[in-house]
Amino acid sequence: MKNFRIGLIEDMISPNYWKTMKAFDRVGINLQGSSVEQFKDEITTTVLKRNRIVHHNDEASDISFGDVVNKIDLFKKYCQCLFFVVSANTHIEKGS
């Protein structure tokens, strides 16, 4: 593991795609080139939009309820993909 300290875990957990890649890399799991990359553009765009709404009082009037449902489905698929890729990593000990 690369200079990993538990105290930084709250700084590592993020919906930001690049921070996620960096967090897993810091614990010895390289996700570059994995199936997780298929989500990169849409996750990044969604997180940037969310940050503009929450932190910069940007309008959310262009987002429908259907859009929100679709984003939830996207993030569920992304999380499932992360789970499967990380679970398949040889650095992870499998429980009994």
Side-chain angles (χ1 to χ4, degrees):
M1 287 190 264
K2 301 177 184 176
N3 302 322
F4 180 70
R5 293 188 344 231
I6 295 296
L8 297 176
I9 196 75
E10 65 273 6
D11 295 328
M12 293 172 55
I13 304 299
S14 172
N16 178 293
Y17 177 85
W18 300 109
K19 287 182 180 180
T20 300
M21 297 302 107
K22 185 176 180 180
F24 279 107
D25 187 53
R26 289 185 72 187
V27 295
I29 302 171
N30 183 351
L31 297 174
Q32 291 183 346
S34 73
S35 56
V36 173
E37 286 190 335
Q38 69 183 313
F39 295 94
K40 176 177 55 179
D41 293 337
E42 201 163 359
I43 293 296
T44 299
T45 300
T46 302
V47 171
L48 289 174
K49 175 70 172 175
R50 176 248 178 222
N51 289 346
R52 285 193 301 267
I53 293 168
V54 172
H55 299 296
H56 304 288
N57 297 321
D58 197 13
E59 291 290 323
S61 60
D62 60 333
I63 301 172
S64 70
F65 183 71
D67 293 333
V68 173
V69 170
N70 289 337
K71 294 302 179 185
I72 292 169
D73 288 340
L74 169 72
F75 273 86
K76 285 171 57 178
K77 290 175 185 171
Y78 174 58
C79 289
Q80 288 172 336
C81 186
L82 276 170
F83 176 80
F84 289 124
V85 170
V86 170
S87 294
N89 190 287
T90 57
H91 290 91
I92 303 296
E93 288 185 31
K94 308 294 188 247
S96 52

